[in-house]
Amino acid sequence: MVLSTSPMVVVANRLPFILAKDSKGQLVRKQCAGGLVTAVAPVVVETEGLWVGWSGLHEEDSTGEIPEADPNDQSPTAGLKSKQVLPVCLPKKKFDDYYNGCCNATFWPLFHSMPDRAVFQADKWEAYRQVNEEFAMLTVEAVKKLVNSNPECIPLVWLHDYHLMMAANTIRERCDELGLPIKMAFFLHIPFPSWDIMRLFPWDDELLQGILGCDSVGFHVEDYCLNFIDCCQRRLGCRVDRQQMLVEHNNRSVSVHPLPISIPYERFVNLAEKAPQVVKNHDQEQLLLGVDRLDYTKGLVHRIKAFETLLQKHPEHIEHVTFLQVAVPSRTDVKEYQELKEELDQLIGRINGQFSTPNWSPIRYIYGCVSQDQLAAFYRDSSVAVVTPLRDGMNLVAKEFVACQTGEPGVLILSPFAGAGTTMHEALLVNPYETNEFAEVIHRALTMPKDERELRMKQLRRRERERDVNFWLRSFLKTVDCLSDDSVTQGRLQPLTEEDFSQFLSSYVTESSRLALLLDYDGTLAPIAPHPDLARMPSETRHVLEKLAHMPDVNVAIISGRSLQNVKSMVGIEGITYAGSHGFEILHPDGTLFMHPIPHEYEVQLETLKQRLQEVSTDGAWVEVKQTGITFHYREVTAAKYSSITSRAQEIFSEVGIKIHQSHKAYEARPPVTWDKGRAAIYILRSLFGLDWCDRVSTIYAGDDKTDEDAMRALQGMAVTFRVTTSQILRTAASHRLPNTDAVLTMLKWVERRLGARLPNNSNGFRQRTFSASSHGNHSPPIHPSTPQNRSRTNSMSKPMGEPTKQMMVITDKVYHDLISRKSSPPRCSSTSPPHSPTRSTV
């Protein structure tokens, strides 16, 4: 139970239950299952507060007194007495102008950044203002009731959503006249648009001032907060503090807060555990699930088209994947929604007609409402949930799906245009407008290895369990000083300095963290040079990296496109992991050498390519031969020869039959296998820390190349990643961008300073490489003595790096996924007794 120190007056468009008439014509309550009701109704009951809202009935309807709850009612509103409810009763015409004419026809599309769908009518706006005034006057009556029953209290008035953006000033003015003390807050459940969209509304200045009548204003995410602050500054000329998120208006400071709403997590877990199976699938069938209100903001047409593209590009999914789309009817009397339903019906019919077989149809379509038990079963039994609105304030479907994933772990595909996309980092994010990319993300979700699904879903479920709807309510109450905890003001990022990496990393990398640093070399640790041999690490970078490499509980890995021997010689620091050829060769500090196998046919092609490229290795162009590939460098080619040499090199690659991979003014030949820096990074982390590395280790990845994006995508939501780039239009999966190698050095210095005070220096000037299992001074989580990391660290101290224990691992995709799913690390040879010659073992 979340308690408030002030009695609460909740003001929402609807009451927390629906009033309807039974077969005898008597009014009865019907439960509402929304998150707001679940969270807030018990607080209203506990504080003996009041709820103001529309009952669902009009002045023209014959009404009676609001009935009490049924004695058997177990809903969150069961304890809410009829005397705690103040129903707003309006003429049908006025309510329709306010609700459909302004709220749904104007604010809904405008705030969802679809201004072309918005209709601006002065009479509908006037109806909105009048209805808000009616809500306001009834709210004042509620405040009077509370103060009369408890003169010492200061009631908290909490206004909700876009239906009530003009009520606050009327409430404040009337309460001031009556000498009634109040606190007042507003929360918006949909997005808040940017200034250039908001200013399209002819009465936007009035609307903004209406919201600023409150003391505290809440939105789902920080972006909406900043949009609101920007509008207040640009349109109203308010003095604002973006760092502390304050707006000064009418001699009052209004605080603005990001408050991401959530769900009653345990309730959905219980539903999922008890719900019977409602979708019968054969063993080989996977179920995609979409659950939405039938609304143009939900992106249903884009989603169905992406599924069609998936079946076209990946026919292997035919008869093995079914898309279940639940569309709940919405505003069925509005022409736009009728047209959307017709378009969706025709699209689904066409796709089913094109791809259906006698025993299978690609899309199952439910147009209607489903029960909570059915919905929980859908969530639980689905392989993939597709939550891809074109714009959404939060979208709780994504959170409900995660809560109900109590069995085989599924995958969440999420639009970045939903508020949930800013916090549910382990979901696969996709732009719903990019149909081809959308289809590929669905394919990735359907083919994702179980170990990755488990890891992502585990992280998602833990976050939603911890940050459930009660956490949201608690956070809100802090912002209005109605909990004993002090609220925390969130700041803004400043220009990049060493201190500012605290903004990126301080909550992630603590003094007691075990840290994995995965770094690219060229363009990350060393500036790009005309020739690879000239790309040297600055001495300061080397010095900091050496100190980090010798710190307890810090593991450093260099993952480069260079050959293993080359990158090892360029860096030359002991005690770190080296991965060459984009991760095809990995050498651990204990001497364990991993080499990914390559097809024999490719080896033959590679030898041919090496010979053929000699004809264009002139005028500054040259060939770098690696263990698993070839790189044709043309960085030093003169402008006069540039076009002819690069064109001929491309032709040779094509004639030999090897795909070109573009690098920094170089063409690379890489093995045609499913292995890249992303898989290599996961392999390194699992080798060093075991299967649960994500729970035990803070991971940082930094790189500057397209190949590094593979690692950044693989580690998305499980590491902090940095892309080194000067391009302003580069698309990246990285958490943050850095401008140059100097910024990487700044980051390394911050990490060294953060972790450098854990143990005293030894006589060599380096931190003693001991482990938390045996180091009393180290506050890191303990490592079991038999873990792979402990063995590798111990061995690396007793064996020179120049004498690796070679272990050639032949790994297919299937075997690889089986391998990394094990609870222990891959087999290792002991460096204390190295074999006399390389051994090749098939794992």
Side-chain angles (χ1 to χ4, degrees):
M1 172 66 68
V2 179
L3 299 178
S4 169
T5 57
S6 294
M8 188 182 294
V9 180
V10 175
V11 190
N13 180 60
R14 296 295 298 262
L15 292 178
F17 48 76
I18 298 170
L19 288 181
K21 292 185 179 181
D22 60 15
S23 58
K24 299 178 181 179
Q26 300 295 317
L27 285 178
V28 293
R29 294 187 185 188
K30 288 194 173 182
Q31 179 181 351
C32 289
L36 174 67
V37 172
T38 303
V40 178
V43 180
V44 175
V45 173
E46 186 68 25
T47 63
E48 297 183 349
L50 299 167
W51 195 301
V52 178
W54 178 54
S55 67
L57 302 174
H58 300 292
E59 276 186 359
E60 294 86 344
D61 301 320
S62 56
T63 60
E65 292 186 358
I66 293 179
E68 300 293 346
D70 187 282
N72 299 319
D73 188 0
Q74 299 296 316
S75 71
T77 62
L80 194 65
K81 305 295 184 183
S82 60
K83 66 181 181 180
Q84 293 177 271
V85 174
L86 279 72
V88 175
C89 197
L90 299 165
K92 187 173 183 179
K93 172 66 167 60
K94 180 183 286 188
F95 182 84
D96 186 67
D97 286 348
Y98 144 80
Y99 186 73
N100 291 317
C102 189
C103 294
N104 293 336
T106 302
F107 295 139
W108 181 261
L110 189 71
F111 281 44
H112 284 84
S113 300
M114 299 181 180
D116 56 311
R117 295 178 177 268
V119 178
F120 306 119
Q121 294 178 285
D123 59 329
K124 302 300 189 290
W125 167 241
E126 183 57 32
Y128 180 87
R129 291 179 48 164
Q130 292 176 8
V131 170
N132 269 247
E133 188 167 349
E134 300 231 17
F135 271 88
M137 298 310 292
L138 200 56
T139 302
V140 174
E141 293 301 313
V143 171
K144 283 199 287 188
K145 281 188 176 184
L146 292 180
V147 174
N148 288 338
S149 62
N150 183 4
E152 302 299 321
C153 77
I154 301 179
L156 170 61
V157 176
W158 195 6
L159 298 158
H160 284 272
D161 223 0
Y162 61 106
H163 310 92
L164 296 167
M165 294 184 286
M166 289 295 293
N169 281 320
T170 303
I171 297 170
R172 181 173 296 279
E173 290 169 4
R174 185 62 181 147
C175 286
D176 286 347
E177 292 173 1
L178 297 173
L180 300 173
I182 58 168
K183 297 179 180 180
M184 198 154 37
F186 173 80
F187 186 80
L188 186 68
H189 292 260
I190 63 174
F192 193 88
S194 60
W195 167 74
D196 59 328
I197 291 180
M198 188 65 200
R199 64 176 174 163
L200 298 176
F201 183 59
W203 306 278
D204 62 332
D205 55 341
E206 293 182 50
L207 196 67
L208 292 168
Q209 291 177 84
I211 297 172
L212 289 172
C214 295
D215 304 301
S216 173
V217 179
F219 302 94
H220 285 303
V221 298
E222 183 175 311
D223 283 347
Y224 306 159
C225 296
L226 297 176
N227 285 346
F228 176 73
I229 292 171
D230 193 40
C231 287
C232 292
Q233 183 182 40
R234 287 173 175 255
R235 290 296 293 143
L236 301 180
C238 295
R239 189 164 70 93
V240 304
D241 184 334
R242 284 181 170 79
Q243 185 173 359
Q244 298 187 66
M245 289 196 181
L246 297 172
V247 179
E248 193 173 75
H249 185 63
N250 289 342
N251 295 318
R252 291 186 303 107
S253 288
V254 180
S255 59
V256 183
H257 304 274
L259 298 168
I261 198 171
S262 192
I263 61 169
Y265 181 87
E266 293 300 334
R267 178 172 173 270
F268 277 94
V269 171
N270 293 333
L271 283 173
E273 290 174 345
K274 297 176 182 177
Q277 186 175 7
V278 293
V279 180
K280 302 295 183 183
N281 299 326
H282 59 75
D283 292 340
Q284 301 302 316
E285 184 178 14
Q286 290 180 284
L287 186 68
L288 267 73
L289 176 67
V291 178
D292 305 87
R293 210 163 42 81
L294 188 61
D295 189 279
Y296 52 77
T297 64
K298 303 300 182 182
L300 295 178
V301 172
H302 298 72
R303 185 183 308 167
I304 299 299
K305 288 181 178 178
F307 182 64
E308 178 185 25
T309 303
L310 172 77
L311 298 179
Q312 292 169 345
K313 296 178 68 175
H314 296 280
E316 66 269 23
H317 292 306
I318 292 175
E319 294 193 334
H320 296 293
V321 176
T322 301
F323 190 2
L324 173 60
Q325 176 63 59
V326 178
V328 179
S330 175
R331 303 167 190 168
T332 54
D333 56 338
V334 178
K335 183 180 179 182
E336 270 189 309
Y337 288 80
Q338 294 169 353
E339 292 173 348
L340 174 61
K341 181 182 182 303
E342 184 178 346
E343 181 183 4
L344 198 62
D345 290 345
Q346 292 176 355
L347 182 60
I348 292 173
R350 177 174 62 77
I351 294 172
N352 278 343
Q354 179 181 356
F355 293 98
S356 290
T357 66
N359 299 315
W360 172 81
S361 291
I363 302 175
R364 301 182 195 175
Y365 179 44
I366 299 176
Y367 176 68
C369 298
V370 296
S371 68
Q372 288 285 302
D373 290 339
Q374 282 182 313
L375 192 58
F378 289 160
Y379 288 143
R380 181 195 61 209
D381 300 334
S382 297
S383 304
V384 180
V386 189
V387 184
T388 52
L390 305 180
R391 188 70 168 166
D392 216 337
M394 177 54 69
N395 197 302
L396 298 180
V397 169
K399 297 173 180 283
E400 293 169 1
F401 168 73
V402 167
C404 292
Q405 284 282 289
T406 57
E408 179 76 11
V411 180
L412 173 62
I413 297 177
L414 187 57
S415 166
F417 309 130
T422 65
T423 58
M424 304 183 79
H425 308 298
E426 297 79 10
L428 300 184
L429 297 184
V430 63
N431 184 338
Y433 292 97
E434 296 183 351
T435 304
N436 288 324
E437 180 190 352
F438 199 161
E440 289 303 319
V441 171
I442 297 175
H443 174 68
R444 179 187 172 191
L446 291 169
T447 58
M448 183 177 289
K450 183 178 180 180
D451 59 288
E452 184 178 351
R453 286 188 277 120
E454 287 178 337
L455 183 60
R456 290 180 179 275
M457 189 54 65
K458 178 182 177 182
Q459 297 294 101
L460 286 166
R461 285 174 61 82
R462 180 168 61 185
R463 182 185 298 110
E464 297 311 317
R465 181 174 61 250
E466 293 172 353
R467 302 199 170 197
D468 63 356
V469 71
N470 287 330
F471 178 88
W472 170 73
L473 181 58
R474 228 177 269 114
S475 300
F476 160 72
L477 290 174
K478 286 181 181 180
T479 69
V480 288
D481 297 324
C482 288
L483 277 183
S484 57
D485 306 25
D486 292 330
S487 62
V488 178
T489 303
Q490 298 195 9
R492 287 286 307 236
L493 295 176
Q494 300 296 318
L496 184 66
T497 65
E498 182 179 341
E499 292 299 323
D500 294 318
F501 274 94
S502 297
Q503 301 286 338
F504 297 128
L505 299 169
S506 62
S507 62
Y508 186 63
V509 179
T510 65
E511 288 83 356
S512 60
S513 290
R514 296 177 60 192
L515 179 65
L517 269 173
L518 281 63
L519 307 166
D520 181 36
Y521 182 78
D522 295 274
T524 303
L525 292 174
I528 297 294
H531 192 281
D533 290 344
L534 301 177
R536 300 287 179 175
M537 265 198 307
S539 59
E540 188 176 9
T541 302
R542 180 181 303 279
H543 180 64
V544 174
L545 205 58
E546 284 177 340
K547 289 200 288 185
L548 288 169
H550 289 82
M551 281 186 178
D553 292 339
V554 176
N555 291 74
V556 180
I558 309 297
I559 307 179
S560 173
R562 293 170 178 257
S563 69
L564 177 61
Q565 291 304 317
N566 184 261
V567 68
K568 180 183 170 187
S569 65
M570 295 298 288
V571 177
I573 298 175
E574 293 188 4
I576 67 179
T577 297
Y578 291 95
S581 303
H582 303 291
F584 279 82
E585 307 167 87
I586 301 173
L587 178 64
H588 285 298
D590 67 347
T592 302
L593 176 65
F594 164 83
M595 296 183 68
H596 194 285
I598 59 176
H600 176 69
E601 180 184 358
Y602 169 74
E603 292 180 318
V604 175
Q605 290 175 311
L606 200 62
E607 187 62 27
T608 303
L609 180 64
K610 182 172 69 173
Q611 300 299 326
R612 293 284 305 276
L613 284 175
Q614 295 304 318
E615 67 179 86
V616 288
S617 296
T618 59
D619 300 292
W622 60 284
V623 174
E624 179 187 6
V625 179
K626 305 177 183 178
Q627 183 72 28
T628 60
I630 286 174
T631 300
F632 177 74
H633 295 273
Y634 54 89
R635 190 176 303 164
E636 298 175 325
V637 174
T638 61
K641 297 286 187 177
Y642 187 90
S643 179
S644 60
I645 288 179
T646 56
S647 298
R648 181 57 186 149
Q650 292 174 14
E651 292 172 1
I652 292 173
F653 270 81
S654 178
E655 290 166 4
V656 174
I658 291 182
K659 180 182 177 182
I660 287 180
H661 293 270
Q662 182 71 57
S663 186
H664 289 296
K665 291 193 176 182
Y667 297 146
E668 292 191 72
R670 299 178 199 159
V673 296
T674 52
W675 189 264
D676 53 34
K677 282 189 176 181
R679 292 195 174 202
I682 297 293
Y683 177 84
I684 290 169
L685 291 165
R686 289 185 185 280
S687 299
L688 295 175
F689 306 109
L691 180 66
D692 59 342
W693 63 269
C694 191
D695 289 335
R696 302 165 56 200
V697 182
S698 297
T699 304
I700 297 174
Y701 187 100
D704 77 310
D705 202 355
K706 183 179 179 181
T707 59
D708 296 301
E709 290 292 330
D710 295 325
M712 292 167 186
R713 282 191 293 270
L715 295 172
Q716 200 166 34
M718 297 178 282
V720 175
T721 54
F722 296 91
R723 176 69 188 265
V724 183
T725 178
T726 56
S727 173
Q728 297 301 314
I729 58 173
L730 182 74
R731 297 184 67 180
T732 179
S735 309
H736 308 283
R737 297 175 188 236
L738 298 178
N740 47 42
T741 56
D742 289 341
V744 177
L745 171 60
T746 304
M747 181 265 288
L748 296 176
K749 289 166 67 177
W750 182 91
V751 172
E752 190 272 332
R753 188 182 67 179
R754 181 78 162 179
L755 304 182
R758 288 198 276 194
L759 288 176
N761 292 347
N762 62 16
S763 58
N764 296 324
F766 291 118
R767 303 292 173 186
Q768 183 68 34
R769 293 180 68 75
T770 57
F771 302 96
S772 51
S774 59
S775 173
H776 299 293
N778 185 8
H779 301 289
S780 304
I783 309 173
H784 194 277
S786 64
T787 61
Q789 185 199 22
N790 202 33
R791 294 199 304 274
S792 67
R793 292 303 183 110
T794 304
N795 293 335
S796 66
M797 290 298 296
S798 60
K799 179 177 177 62
M801 287 184 57
E803 303 176 16
T805 298
K806 296 182 181 179
Q807 184 173 14
M808 309 288 288
M809 296 189 178
V810 182
I811 303 181
T812 64
D813 275 3
K814 180 179 182 304
V815 174
Y816 169 73
H817 295 311
D818 292 341
L819 176 66
I820 62 177
S821 298
R822 297 176 186 172
K823 296 298 181 183
S824 60
S825 65
R828 292 171 179 265
C829 297
S830 171
S831 61
T832 58
S833 56
H836 296 291
S837 61
T839 58
R840 181 179 294 274
S841 60
T842 302
V843 180

